[in-house]
Amino acid sequence: MKKIFVFAFAMVFCGFAANAQNSLPKKVIKKNVKVENANNTVGQQNASEVAPVIITNKSAGPLVIGQKMVETAPEGAFFDMVKYVKGEYGSSYTLYKNNKKIGRVSVNSRGEIENITVDGKCNVQTENGITIGMPYGEAIGKPGVKALAERMDGGFMLTIEYNGLGISCNYDSDDCWSQQGKARLKKAPENRDGYLELKSTDFKKDAVVDSFFANGMD
């Protein structure tokens, strides 16, 4: 089965909340590093070590839902290379940091960003401090996180999100639960409109935050 995403196990995640301050470094220490651009050329660029970039359901640093996708990594971005990918059903960009994939961005026919996925360890976190690799139970316990299990045709639809930003787990949906979580699910309301508010202890201790998904939808 697919990993846990906001609004369904394998279902599509269907004013900017992020402002210019999300993209601008608060603390900057200059140093020279190699940066590859979308054309795979290598050159010396003055890069920056910055305070964590804030990801919301509207943006992640220089990536903003509804705006044009950047073709190269701006100075101080949480990624240092982007590669264009033409797919059968649409176009996207893969994000890299130190030659490791850390995310992807889907764009429409006008090159405008439709959604952002961050699924590799990098200098990104939510406003309430959730990071990739954080214990899932700890993330669920952060202020403002919505964590619900709703009965759907014999199973459950999970809603794990922070202000619309999807938060997924490294475990498949059937394997993420602690013994307490499994016991509590059995007691969840039987009617379709019933739901169970999830707790930190409902998930295995080695379950961790696997990715963020932003689609800009309120």
Side-chain angles (χ1 to χ4, degrees), residues 13-14 17 44 46 53 63 77 102 129 148 154 168-169 190 207 217:
F13 289 99
C14 307
Q44 290 294 329
N46 202 20
V53 171
L63 308 177
I102 61 168
L148 304 175
S168 72
C169 176
E190 293 291 342
M217 298 179 65

Side-chain angles (χ1 to χ4, degrees), residues 30-50:
K30 297 292 186 178
K31 68 175 185 179
N32 289 324
V33 297
K34 287 185 177 180
V35 177
E36 295 184 60
N37 61 24
N39 296 319
N40 297 326
T41 59
V42 180
Q44 290 294 329
Q45 179 173 317
N46 202 20
S48 304
E49 291 181 353
V50 299

Side-chain angles (χ1 to χ4, degrees), residues 192-207:
R192 285 182 62 92
D193 294 328
Y195 62 86
L196 177 70
E197 292 188 7
L198 300 174
K199 300 179 179 180
S200 297
T201 50
D202 289 333
F203 298 92
K204 290 181 177 179
K205 291 184 178 180
D206 59 348

Side-chain angles (χ1 to χ4, degrees), residues 67-125:
Q67 293 190 8
K68 292 283 188 178
M69 176 61 188
V70 297
E71 296 292 335
T72 58
E75 182 178 350
F78 66 92
F79 53 95
D80 57 23
M81 183 172 66
V82 298
K83 284 188 177 181
Y84 175 75
V85 179
K86 177 64 176 177
E88 182 178 357
Y89 300 106
S91 300
S92 64
Y93 290 82
T94 303
L95 307 177
Y96 293 84
K97 182 68 174 181
N98 298 326
N99 292 318
K100 293 182 179 180
K101 294 180 181 180
I102 61 168
R104 57 192 177 277
V105 178
S106 295
V107 298
N108 59 25
S109 59
R110 299 181 297 276
E112 299 166 343
I113 297 174
E114 292 189 322
N115 57 68
I116 304 164
T117 299
V118 176
D119 55 8
K121 287 191 175 182
C122 54
N123 194 33
V124 170
Q125 68 176 41

